[in-house]
Amino acid sequence: HTNPQYRSRLARVQAATTADRDERRALLRTAEQGLRRALALDPSDGRPYVVLGKVLVSQRRYDEARRLYAEGTANTGSRCAHLWCAWGHMEGRAGNPQRARKLLDAALVVDGRATEADPGCRAAWHAWGMLEFSQGNYLRARDLWTRGIQRCRASPSRQTAYLHCSLAVMAAGLGRLDEARAWFEEGTRANGGARSCALWHAWAVAVARAGDPG
């Protein structure tokens, strides 16, 4: 494939799955070089910033990632919701929850300007919910995930099972098995949900832990 972004994404995925340290470094170096070339060709395209940021974060190069994300938001006119989301996810991972919340909120504000045919940055709703869940703010996480689902219902192509799955797993962990079952069932009806191995596996694990053979 001749597309440098495609090759870089492929190298990043391969790096995440290899156990060989030297091979991983080489693949990440290849991905970074390709993405920087893509940015040099079109600095207004938000996608290479998002993927390159993930490459840097995977190596814990947080300060470099911050500079990249700041540059990317400036060059895209602060209009790329997925770029804000990636930045927020990184800050949460780096232990800066307050900063992460502000950035994820920015992602949703930007995405809120989208047309009705393209509502809801699913990744931002999910990332913010996971941040609150990790902080023990379960009601806040539930609110964010359910709001994300409601936003995405306006466009079937934007529906996704992982918001349902996260809600169900959290409910099961809190002992709310009926609620968990309801979210799992609804998740199977979301776009791609019936084919989601992650959702079915999580459902099976929840049932097994609850000691419910049905």
Side-chain angles (χ1 to χ4, degrees):
H1 202 293
T2 58
N3 187 309
Q5 286 194 52
Y6 173 86
R7 293 198 307 272
S8 297
R9 287 193 178 95
L10 181 60
R12 187 183 74 83
V13 171
Q14 291 173 333
T17 58
T18 182
D20 187 290
R21 184 176 300 178
D22 291 337
E23 182 182 2
R24 181 175 183 274
R25 286 175 180 162
L27 287 166
L28 289 174
R29 186 163 54 250
T30 296
E32 181 174 350
Q33 291 170 347
L35 290 162
R36 291 195 184 280
R37 285 196 298 271
L39 288 174
L41 291 171
D42 184 5
S44 66
D45 185 352
R47 294 171 297 175
Y49 293 104
V50 172
V51 182
L52 179 54
K54 291 179 180 179
V55 170
L56 298 176
V57 169
S58 70
Q59 300 171 80
R60 299 184 181 275
R61 295 160 62 184
Y62 295 131
D63 287 339
E64 290 180 68
R66 287 186 183 97
R67 289 194 293 271
L68 174 78
Y69 288 137
E71 178 185 340
T73 54
N75 288 339
T76 59
S78 300
R79 293 189 300 270
C80 181
H82 288 285
L83 211 166
W84 285 113
C85 179
W87 193 352
H89 182 267
M90 185 209 72
E91 292 294 357
R93 177 172 171 172
N96 303 312
Q98 285 298 100
R99 179 62 173 156
R101 289 184 181 101
K102 292 179 180 178
L103 293 163
L104 291 166
D105 184 57
L108 295 174
V109 168
V110 170
D111 195 74
R113 301 172 190 156
T115 64
E116 291 185 3
D118 189 31
C121 180
R122 298 168 295 179
W125 290 110
H126 189 257
W128 197 346
M130 289 301 295
L131 172 68
E132 299 300 344
F133 178 78
S134 71
Q135 298 286 308
N137 302 324
Y138 303 131
L139 289 177
R140 181 59 172 148
R142 187 182 190 278
D143 176 64
L144 287 161
W145 287 332
T146 53
R147 286 170 62 196
I149 289 171
Q150 290 165 1
R151 285 288 305 279
C152 292
R153 278 178 179 151
S155 176
S157 65
R158 295 294 299 275
Q159 292 176 13
T160 178
Y162 61 76
L163 289 167
H164 298 84
C165 187
S166 294
L167 276 162
V169 169
M170 183 176 69
L174 295 173
R176 301 171 182 170
L177 301 181
D178 289 341
E179 181 183 341
R181 184 176 293 107
W183 284 120
F184 279 129
E185 288 177 351
E186 184 174 331
T188 64
R189 297 192 293 273
N191 187 37
R195 301 185 301 277
S196 173
C197 295
L199 185 144
W200 288 108
H201 180 263
W203 195 347
V205 169
V207 168
R209 287 178 176 170
D212 180 3

